[in-house]
Amino acid sequence: MTVLTVEALNAHYGRAHVLADVSLTVAPGEVVALLGRNGAGKSTTLKAIMGLVPPTGGRVRLDGRDLTGRAPFEIARAGIGWVPEDRRIFTDLTVAGNLEVGRRPPVAGRTVWTPDRLFAVFPALGRLKDRPAGRMSGGEQQMLTVARTLMGNPSVLLLDEPTEGLAPVVVEDLVRTIRSLASEGLGILLSEQTLPVARAVAGRAFVIETGRIRWEGSMAALMADDAARARHLAV
């Protein structure tokens, strides 16, 4: 059973063919890693799934529903949550205010997230709920971005380089959070460059290079395949 199915997805920036026949799946409660070097196409894949980069071919389906060509807000309402690399929090709003911005009505069959439930998953946010988001650390802002996205009650979460620039202790907290969210039944597609992070949370991996999927399989198989890692991931 899959919740997110991406089939032969293509995308262009002008005449540049930036995604070529990208296919992947995510099941409920599964963390799937999308790995690759800088510029390989990881962020573009997530943006194409969200409709932020209009696909020029292929299909994006959520629970069997075809979302290809829909506007980003329609895709979000259908149940795909996107956590961008640059966070995009509202710095003048408090933590509680940022969460209210993301609130969506409950949807049958999906986990319903409330501020109190999120504060149980992100205790630091509970302690800072009245603090303006602009006065938070980078790690706290990253947690807030994830929490705000969850207020939309998604069934799939797209995480774009969530550990970028974070201190190791914050990365450890984020790893625990990702595992916790998956245990709630949330499907997660994680764009990541850091192999130890991907290894800690993901069961399967897709490796992208120059806009094409070059390798796919279990995370354990990738860690055992020195040649594949050297060919597609080594800097």
Side-chain angles (χ1 to χ4, degrees), residues 67-87:
L67 300 179
T68 314
R70 299 291 184 90
F73 78 90
E74 294 177 304
I75 293 172
R77 288 179 180 177
I80 300 180
W82 176 55
V83 179
E85 182 180 3
D86 54 1
R87 299 171 192 156

mmCIF file of all heavy atoms in Angstrom, residues 67-87:
data_model
loop_
_atom_site.group_PDB
_atom_site.id
_atom_site.type_symbol
_atom_site.label_atom_id
_atom_site.label_comp_id
_atom_site.label_asym_id
_atom_site.label_seq_id
_atom_site.Cartn_x
_atom_site.Cartn_y
_atom_site.Cartn_z
ATOM 1 N N LEU A 67 -3.098 14.283 -8.608
ATOM 2 C CA LEU A 67 -2.929 15.701 -8.272
ATOM 3 C C LEU A 67 -2.074 16.439 -9.293
ATOM 4 O O LEU A 67 -1.752 17.613 -9.095
ATOM 5 C CB LEU A 67 -2.284 15.836 -6.887
ATOM 6 C CG LEU A 67 -3.052 15.228 -5.710
ATOM 7 C CD1 LEU A 67 -2.263 15.429 -4.421
ATOM 8 C CD2 LEU A 67 -4.438 15.861 -5.587
ATOM 9 N N THR A 68 -1.707 15.780 -10.355
ATOM 10 C CA THR A 68 -0.825 16.379 -11.348
ATOM 11 C C THR A 68 -1.452 17.646 -11.929
ATOM 12 O O THR A 68 -2.624 17.644 -12.349
ATOM 13 C CB THR A 68 -0.553 15.393 -12.496
ATOM 14 O OG1 THR A 68 -0.242 14.111 -11.959
ATOM 15 C CG2 THR A 68 0.597 15.875 -13.351
ATOM 16 N N GLY A 69 -0.675 18.722 -11.942
ATOM 17 C CA GLY A 69 -1.146 19.966 -12.528
ATOM 18 C C GLY A 69 -1.995 20.817 -11.611
ATOM 19 O O GLY A 69 -2.401 21.926 -11.999
ATOM 20 N N ARG A 70 -2.271 20.337 -10.401
ATOM 21 C CA ARG A 70 -3.046 21.138 -9.459
ATOM 22 C C ARG A 70 -2.193 22.272 -8.889
ATOM 23 O O ARG A 70 -0.968 22.210 -8.863
ATOM 24 C CB ARG A 70 -3.564 20.273 -8.311
ATOM 25 C CG ARG A 70 -4.495 19.152 -8.726
ATOM 26 C CD ARG A 70 -5.841 19.679 -9.237
ATOM 27 N NE ARG A 70 -6.766 18.616 -9.546
ATOM 28 C CZ ARG A 70 -7.625 18.091 -8.670
ATOM 29 N NH1 ARG A 70 -7.654 18.533 -7.425
ATOM 30 N NH2 ARG A 70 -8.434 17.125 -9.043
ATOM 31 N N ALA A 71 -2.859 23.312 -8.406
ATOM 32 C CA ALA A 71 -2.166 24.422 -7.755
ATOM 33 C C ALA A 71 -1.581 23.953 -6.432
ATOM 34 O O ALA A 71 -2.125 23.040 -5.788
ATOM 35 C CB ALA A 71 -3.130 25.578 -7.528
ATOM 36 N N PRO A 72 -0.486 24.570 -5.987
ATOM 37 C CA PRO A 72 0.125 24.144 -4.718
ATOM 38 C C PRO A 72 -0.841 24.135 -3.538
ATOM 39 O O PRO A 72 -0.799 23.218 -2.715
ATOM 40 C CB PRO A 72 1.252 25.162 -4.527
ATOM 41 C CG PRO A 72 1.650 25.547 -5.912
ATOM 42 C CD PRO A 72 0.357 25.569 -6.687
ATOM 43 N N PHE A 73 -1.740 25.129 -3.448
ATOM 44 C CA PHE A 73 -2.656 25.146 -2.305
ATOM 45 C C PHE A 73 -3.639 23.984 -2.370
ATOM 46 O O PHE A 73 -4.046 23.437 -1.329
ATOM 47 C CB PHE A 73 -3.390 26.494 -2.207
ATOM 48 C CG PHE A 73 -4.530 26.676 -3.174
ATOM 49 C CD1 PHE A 73 -5.822 26.290 -2.825
ATOM 50 C CD2 PHE A 73 -4.321 27.243 -4.426
ATOM 51 C CE1 PHE A 73 -6.885 26.463 -3.706
ATOM 52 C CE2 PHE A 73 -5.375 27.418 -5.318
ATOM 53 C CZ PHE A 73 -6.660 27.023 -4.959
ATOM 54 N N GLU A 74 -3.999 23.567 -3.566
ATOM 55 C CA GLU A 74 -4.891 22.414 -3.711
ATOM 56 C C GLU A 74 -4.175 21.129 -3.298
ATOM 57 O O GLU A 74 -4.777 20.251 -2.663
ATOM 58 C CB GLU A 74 -5.386 22.297 -5.148
ATOM 59 C CG GLU A 74 -6.280 23.436 -5.599
ATOM 60 C CD GLU A 74 -6.684 23.311 -7.060
ATOM 61 O OE1 GLU A 74 -5.782 23.221 -7.913
ATOM 62 O OE2 GLU A 74 -7.903 23.296 -7.338
ATOM 63 N N ILE A 75 -2.904 21.020 -3.675
ATOM 64 C CA ILE A 75 -2.127 19.841 -3.310
ATOM 65 C C ILE A 75 -1.935 19.779 -1.803
ATOM 66 O O ILE A 75 -2.031 18.712 -1.185
ATOM 67 C CB ILE A 75 -0.775 19.865 -4.051
ATOM 68 C CG1 ILE A 75 -1.020 19.687 -5.561
ATOM 69 C CG2 ILE A 75 0.169 18.785 -3.534
ATOM 70 C CD1 ILE A 75 0.202 19.888 -6.423
ATOM 71 N N ALA A 76 -1.692 20.931 -1.177
ATOM 72 C CA ALA A 76 -1.559 20.975 0.281
ATOM 73 C C ALA A 76 -2.863 20.559 0.957
ATOM 74 O O ALA A 76 -2.859 19.775 1.916
ATOM 75 C CB ALA A 76 -1.143 22.371 0.725
ATOM 76 N N ARG A 77 -3.968 21.068 0.473
ATOM 77 C CA ARG A 77 -5.264 20.720 1.065
ATOM 78 C C ARG A 77 -5.600 19.246 0.856
ATOM 79 O O ARG A 77 -6.295 18.639 1.680
ATOM 80 C CB ARG A 77 -6.363 21.597 0.465
ATOM 81 C CG ARG A 77 -6.306 23.046 0.930
ATOM 82 C CD ARG A 77 -7.392 23.896 0.303
ATOM 83 N NE ARG A 77 -7.318 25.278 0.765
ATOM 84 C CZ ARG A 77 -8.110 26.258 0.327
ATOM 85 N NH1 ARG A 77 -9.042 25.993 -0.594
ATOM 86 N NH2 ARG A 77 -7.970 27.485 0.799
ATOM 87 N N ALA A 78 -5.097 18.666 -0.232
ATOM 88 C CA ALA A 78 -5.359 17.242 -0.496
ATOM 89 C C ALA A 78 -4.629 16.347 0.491
ATOM 90 O O ALA A 78 -5.039 15.203 0.713
ATOM 91 C CB ALA A 78 -4.937 16.893 -1.924
ATOM 92 N N GLY A 79 -3.525 16.872 1.096
ATOM 93 C CA GLY A 79 -2.867 16.074 2.128
ATOM 94 C C GLY A 79 -1.366 15.939 2.016
ATOM 95 O O GLY A 79 -0.774 15.087 2.681
ATOM 96 N N ILE A 80 -0.728 16.758 1.178
ATOM 97 C CA ILE A 80 0.737 16.740 1.101
ATOM 98 C C ILE A 80 1.266 17.996 1.779
ATOM 99 O O ILE A 80 0.936 19.117 1.386
ATOM 100 C CB ILE A 80 1.239 16.671 -0.352
ATOM 101 C CG1 ILE A 80 0.716 15.404 -1.041
ATOM 102 C CG2 ILE A 80 2.769 16.679 -0.381
ATOM 103 C CD1 ILE A 80 1.173 15.249 -2.481
ATOM 104 N N GLY A 81 2.078 17.800 2.801
ATOM 105 C CA GLY A 81 2.685 18.916 3.513
ATOM 106 C C GLY A 81 4.129 19.084 3.105
ATOM 107 O O GLY A 81 4.864 18.100 2.986
ATOM 108 N N TRP A 82 4.547 20.328 2.888
ATOM 109 C CA TRP A 82 5.910 20.621 2.416
ATOM 110 C C TRP A 82 6.629 21.475 3.442
ATOM 111 O O TRP A 82 6.113 22.523 3.867
ATOM 112 C CB TRP A 82 5.836 21.345 1.076
ATOM 113 C CG TRP A 82 7.164 21.801 0.514
ATOM 114 C CD1 TRP A 82 8.260 21.046 0.272
ATOM 115 C CD2 TRP A 82 7.495 23.139 0.098
ATOM 116 N NE1 TRP A 82 9.269 21.815 -0.263
ATOM 117 C CE2 TRP A 82 8.825 23.102 -0.389
ATOM 118 C CE3 TRP A 82 6.802 24.350 0.083
ATOM 119 C CZ2 TRP A 82 9.475 24.240 -0.871
ATOM 120 C CZ3 TRP A 82 7.444 25.478 -0.407
ATOM 121 C CH2 TRP A 82 8.761 25.410 -0.877
ATOM 122 N N VAL A 83 7.801 21.025 3.857
ATOM 123 C CA VAL A 83 8.657 21.794 4.763
ATOM 124 C C VAL A 83 9.861 22.262 3.958
ATOM 125 O O VAL A 83 10.767 21.486 3.681
ATOM 126 C CB VAL A 83 9.111 20.947 5.964
ATOM 127 C CG1 VAL A 83 10.024 21.758 6.885
ATOM 128 C CG2 VAL A 83 7.899 20.440 6.743
ATOM 129 N N PRO A 84 9.890 23.538 3.564
ATOM 130 C CA PRO A 84 10.965 24.012 2.686
ATOM 131 C C PRO A 84 12.290 24.130 3.420
ATOM 132 O O PRO A 84 12.341 24.265 4.645
ATOM 133 C CB PRO A 84 10.464 25.387 2.231
ATOM 134 C CG PRO A 84 9.566 25.847 3.336
ATOM 135 C CD PRO A 84 8.908 24.591 3.865
ATOM 136 N N GLU A 85 13.348 24.121 2.643
ATOM 137 C CA GLU A 85 14.693 24.205 3.209
ATOM 138 C C GLU A 85 14.915 25.528 3.931
ATOM 139 O O GLU A 85 15.604 25.580 4.952
ATOM 140 C CB GLU A 85 15.721 24.037 2.084
ATOM 141 C CG GLU A 85 17.162 24.061 2.542
ATOM 142 C CD GLU A 85 18.129 23.879 1.389
ATOM 143 O OE1 GLU A 85 17.682 23.797 0.228
ATOM 144 O OE2 GLU A 85 19.348 23.811 1.645
ATOM 145 N N ASP A 86 14.305 26.610 3.427
ATOM 146 C CA ASP A 86 14.557 27.929 4.005
ATOM 147 C C ASP A 86 13.524 28.337 5.064
ATOM 148 O O ASP A 86 13.438 29.496 5.452
ATOM 149 C CB ASP A 86 14.646 28.998 2.915
ATOM 150 C CG ASP A 86 13.431 29.005 2.000
ATOM 151 O OD1 ASP A 86 12.515 28.201 2.220
ATOM 152 O OD2 ASP A 86 13.398 29.813 1.050
ATOM 153 N N ARG A 87 12.709 27.374 5.509
ATOM 154 C CA ARG A 87 11.811 27.506 6.666
ATOM 155 C C ARG A 87 10.626 28.433 6.441
ATOM 156 O O ARG A 87 9.497 28.060 6.654
ATOM 157 C CB ARG A 87 12.596 27.911 7.927
ATOM 158 C CG ARG A 87 13.628 26.852 8.280
ATOM 159 C CD ARG A 87 14.577 27.291 9.369
ATOM 160 N NE ARG A 87 15.701 26.363 9.458
ATOM 161 C CZ ARG A 87 16.880 26.657 9.956
ATOM 162 N NH1 ARG A 87 17.110 27.866 10.450
ATOM 163 N NH2 ARG A 87 17.831 25.773 9.978
#
